[in-house]
């Protein structure tokens, strides 16, 4: 598992470089991949001092790939979303919903790990609720950033916002992130706890 972060980093960087080749819109691409550009240096810098669990590293890499694909094509035009739209006879490309589901699902496990390792909190109802609140706050902040971008860019922000004509897009985005935060904890908390135990001081994993 010690090589996993490096392999995931290489995968994300290759995907990022490929997505920069002839994107749908250069400005939209940059706006969408900014979280990846900010997160990668932080994760590299903290790799030794605060190594995360393999589960969280994998989830962060998957989230990065979702953002990168959305940046290259724009969320309303990602081919996989168009296939799903046509298959299910939807009114819009649902890839944006997937992105916001990940916006709750992945930060939930990251927030859970940070809280368990740096605070007195333990697995339970309070941790579950607090993680959900953290994810909702993050989702709300991201919507504010989108609003700022739209106010500064005018019509040029349409692809970044990805509303596709839905006046309730912001509310749907936050609801989807909420669902993702809940699902992430329900589905992966036990696996996460086992991996956290391996990172505890004195475990064989931490001695590598």
């Amino acid at each position: 598992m010690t090589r996993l972060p490096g392999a995931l980093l290489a995968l994300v960087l290759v995907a990022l470089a490929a997505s920069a080749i002839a994107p749908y819109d250069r400005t939209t691409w940059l706006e969408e991949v900014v979280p990846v550009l900010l997160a990668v240096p932080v994760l590299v810098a903290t790799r030794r001092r605060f190594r995360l669990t393999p589960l969280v590293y994998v989830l962060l890499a998957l989230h990065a790939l979702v953002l990168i694909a959305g940046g290259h094509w724009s969320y309303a035009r990602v081919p996989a979303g168009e296939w799903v739209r046509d298959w299910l006879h939807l009114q819009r490309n649902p890839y944006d919903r997937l992105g916001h589901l990940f916006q709750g699902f992945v930060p939930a496990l990251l927030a859970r790990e940070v809280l368990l390792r740096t605070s007195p909190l333990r697995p339970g109802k309070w941790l579950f609720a607090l993680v959900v609140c953290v994810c909702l706050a993050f989702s709300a902040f991201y919507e504010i950033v989108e609003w700022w971008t739209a106010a500064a860019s005018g019509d040029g922000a349409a692809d970044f916002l990805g509303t596709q004509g839905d006046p309730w897009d912001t509310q749907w985005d936050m609801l989807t992130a909420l669902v993702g935060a809940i699902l992430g904890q329900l589905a992966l908390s036990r696996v996460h706890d086992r991996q956290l135990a391996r990172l505890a001081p004195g475990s064989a994993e931490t001695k590598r």
Side-chain angles (χ1 to χ4, degrees), residues 1-129:
M1 288 294 186
T2 56
R3 297 180 181 178
L4 180 63
L8 293 172
L9 175 62
L11 173 63
V12 169
L13 291 180
V14 168
L16 184 64
S19 73
I21 301 173
Y24 173 78
D25 179 78
R26 181 68 61 183
T27 300
T28 300
W29 172 83
L30 181 60
E31 290 169 340
E32 299 294 0
V33 303
V34 159
V36 180
L37 298 176
L38 294 176
V40 165
V42 172
L43 291 172
V44 170
T46 59
R47 169 71 177 87
R48 295 186 180 277
R49 289 177 295 155
F50 198 84
R51 181 175 46 161
L52 300 173
T53 55
L55 172 64
V56 172
Y57 277 128
V58 169
L59 290 175
L60 288 172
L62 289 174
H63 195 185
L65 294 177
V66 170
L67 292 170
I68 288 169
H72 180 77
W73 282 289
S74 86
Y75 279 88
R77 298 173 180 82
V78 173
E82 292 183 349
W83 299 334
V84 173
R85 179 197 61 200
D86 296 341
W87 180 42
L88 298 178
H89 305 289
L90 302 176
Q91 297 296 318
R92 55 174 284 158
N93 187 319
Y95 190 82
D96 179 61
R97 301 288 185 240
L98 174 66
H100 285 278
L101 185 73
F102 267 73
Q103 193 185 75
F105 196 101
V106 177
L109 275 296
L110 177 60
R112 188 176 189 274
E113 179 151 334
V114 171
L115 288 172
L116 284 173
R117 293 174 62 181
T118 64
S119 78
L121 286 168
R122 293 294 178 265
K125 295 179 180 178
W126 280 107
L127 176 66
F128 191 100

Side-chain angles (χ1 to χ4, degrees), residues 17 109 132 138:
L109 275 296
V132 169
F138 175 74

